[in-house]
């Protein structure tokens, strides 16, 4: 490999910051405030779920896991973004390929894990509402632990293989029109060939397994719940739908963000676009900020403890 080729493959340039360089100081403080808010709100809801024995139920275990994913993704995304905003005076940020691959792995695996957790949560709600007499037998603590391990380990293994394939690709370009790294963008910088095609096909496969299949299962589960609710009393239906609403809001939050990002990248794969850049930011920003708000405000049991905790601190 030539020295020029080596430089391309060992260092990448995030050119997305060129569109933000004129507002880097303002954006730094905005993203800093958002990061602090995400850290506080996610940690608060997770702490409440872990500390309150009344919330030690399968549904809240899945909620805490989704928020833990959100907290981890924020730690992967925001500190790097904040440091890059401080250093992006020329609008260009250099990042090593190794660091880019690591960030790509965490962003993709945590995103897939969140979709699988939401599908597990939908299954839990389906059993609780549609088969309440058998719920305690079907959803035991041991089975909840197994589902959580599956939701975390399967995306990590599949995305790990995808990251390994991407790391072996020779790159002919070194500029990403984004402010963070992801596997799809890294593959798009490659020189093509059989390895790039294999990586692309495998990427489509794992996207189907950890995103589209769980999303389809979520929609199917809540459709069944809705069908049952239409045949029951109004009070039963109201209580059931109120329980499902926060999970649906978080699910659509994730789904819309991912769908827009995938759609814009497909439509504008051969040219740089501010809309693609903005969507890539919103894809990370919106779910991490809204998830704790939805679960903290819309889940009645959690909101009650949040009010009690904040009121106790204010009184003291």
């Amino acid at each position: 490999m030539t020295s020029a080729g080596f430089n391309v493959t060992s260092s990448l340039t995030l050119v997305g910051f060129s569109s933000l360089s004129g507002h880097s100081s303002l954006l730094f403080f905005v993203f800093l405030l958002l990061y602090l808010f995400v850290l506080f709100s996610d940690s608060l809801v997770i702490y409440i779920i872990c500390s309150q024995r009344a919330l030690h139920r399968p549904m809240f275990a899945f909620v805490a896991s989704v928020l833990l994913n959100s907290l981890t993704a924020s730690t992967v995304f925001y500190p790097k973004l904040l440091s890059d905003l401080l250093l992006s005076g020329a609008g260009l940020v250099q990042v090593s390929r190794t660091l880019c691959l690591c960030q790509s792995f965490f962003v993709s695996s945590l995103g897939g894990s969140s979709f699988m957790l939401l599908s597990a949560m939908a299954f839990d709600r389906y059993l609780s509402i549609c088969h309440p007499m058998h719920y305690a037998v079907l959803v035991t603590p041991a089975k909840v632990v197994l589902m959580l391990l599956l939701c975390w380990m399967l995306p990590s293994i599949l995305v790990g293989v995808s990251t390994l394939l991407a790391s072996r690709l020779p790159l002919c370009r070194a500029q990403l029109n984004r402010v963070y790294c992801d596997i799809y963008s890294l593959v798009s910088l490659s020189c093509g060939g059989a390895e790039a095609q294999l990586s692309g096909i495998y990427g489509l496969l794992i996207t189907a397994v950890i995103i589209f299949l769980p999303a389809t299962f979520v929609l199917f589960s809540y459709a069944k719940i809705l069908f049952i609710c239409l045949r029951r009393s109004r009070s039963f239906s109201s209580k059931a739908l109120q329980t499902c609403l926060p999970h649906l809001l978080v699910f659509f939050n994730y789904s819309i963000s991912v769908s827009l990002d995938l759609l814009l990248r497909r439509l504008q794969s051969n040219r740089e676009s501010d809309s693609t850049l903005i969507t890539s930011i919103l894809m990370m920003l919106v779910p991490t900020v809204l998830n704790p708000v939805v679960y903290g405000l819309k889940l009645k049991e959690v909101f009650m403890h949040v009010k009690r905790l904040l009121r106790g601190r204010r009184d003291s």
Side-chain angles (χ1 to χ4, degrees):
M1 182 179 295
T2 65
S3 61
F6 178 80
N7 289 335
V8 169
T9 56
S10 63
S11 180
L12 300 171
T13 304
L14 301 177
V15 299
F17 287 94
S18 60
S19 301
L20 308 177
S21 58
H23 312 282
S24 57
S25 298
L26 174 62
L27 289 174
F28 175 84
F29 288 106
V30 170
F31 285 123
L32 177 61
L33 290 175
L34 288 173
Y35 180 45
L36 293 175
F37 170 78
V38 170
L39 284 179
F40 172 76
S41 54
D42 276 341
S43 301
L44 176 63
V45 176
I46 292 172
Y47 167 76
I48 287 174
I49 291 174
C50 293
S51 63
Q52 300 297 323
R53 292 185 60 86
L55 301 182
H56 290 180
R57 306 204 301 268
M59 182 184 76
F60 294 104
F62 292 124
V63 169
S65 300
V66 171
L67 292 180
L68 182 60
N69 276 10
S70 177
L71 186 61
T72 306
S74 299
T75 304
V76 171
F77 173 70
Y78 285 102
K80 177 71 168 58
L81 177 65
L82 292 171
S83 65
D84 289 342
L85 283 171
L86 287 177
L87 300 173
S88 62
L92 302 175
V93 172
Q94 295 289 326
V95 58
S96 70
R97 189 177 183 185
T98 301
L99 182 59
C100 201
L101 285 166
C102 289
Q103 190 178 50
S104 300
F105 168 78
F106 282 108
V107 168
S108 299
S109 61
L110 289 170
S113 174
S114 295
F115 270 98
M116 292 193 67
L117 286 168
L118 289 170
S119 69
M121 203 180 304
F123 182 61
D124 172 77
R125 291 299 82 206
Y126 167 75
L127 292 178
S128 175
I129 294 170
C130 301
H131 301 282
M133 302 298 294
H134 306 287
Y135 179 76
V137 176
L138 294 173
V139 187
T140 62
K143 291 178 180 178
V144 171
V145 171
L146 285 176
M147 282 192 284
L148 289 174
L149 290 175
L150 177 65
C151 291
W152 278 319
M153 292 182 63
L154 181 60
S156 297
I157 294 171
L158 294 177
V159 174
V161 174
S162 182
T163 306
L164 180 61
L165 290 174
S167 70
R168 298 167 59 88
L169 295 175
L171 303 184
C172 289
R173 291 177 293 149
Q175 291 189 340
L176 283 172
N177 187 37
R178 300 174 78 81
V179 295
Y180 65 91
C181 298
D182 65 275
I183 295 174
Y184 178 89
S185 298
L186 283 174
V187 174
S188 70
L189 299 180
S190 69
C191 303
E195 289 186 342
Q197 290 181 346
L198 174 62
S199 184
I201 293 172
Y202 182 78
L204 291 175
L205 177 63
I206 65 170
T207 300
V209 171
I210 65 177
I211 293 181
F212 291 120
L213 285 180
T216 302
F217 183 78
V218 169
L219 293 174
F220 174 78
S221 298
Y222 286 120
K224 292 282 289 184
I225 291 173
L226 179 61
F227 178 74
I228 293 294
C229 289
L230 292 176
R231 301 170 58 185
R232 300 290 185 90
S233 66
R234 178 172 296 182
S235 60
F236 175 89
S237 301
S238 176
K239 183 178 179 181
L241 294 177
Q242 185 178 9
T243 302
C244 295
L245 180 61
H247 311 309
L248 278 171
L249 289 175
V250 171
F251 168 71
F252 284 119
N253 180 15
Y254 273 115
S255 299
I256 292 172
S257 299
V258 171
S259 299
L260 284 177
D261 186 59
L262 291 174
L263 180 63
L264 284 174
R265 281 197 292 188
R266 287 293 180 182
L267 293 176
Q268 302 167 341
S269 58
N270 296 322
R271 63 182 186 272
E272 297 178 359
S273 169
D274 287 342
S275 60
T276 306
L277 172 64
I278 294 171
T279 305
S280 72
I281 297 175
L282 292 178
M283 180 184 171
M284 294 297 298
L285 189 67
V286 175
T288 56
V289 172
L290 288 187
N291 287 353
V293 174
V294 170
Y295 283 132
L297 297 180
K298 298 301 293 183
L299 281 178
K300 183 174 63 176
E301 299 93 335
V302 174
F303 182 58
M304 178 182 65
H305 289 289
V306 169
K307 287 198 304 182
R308 186 179 302 169
L309 182 63
L310 295 179
R311 187 186 303 121
R313 287 188 174 184
R314 186 172 63 249
D315 292 342
S316 62

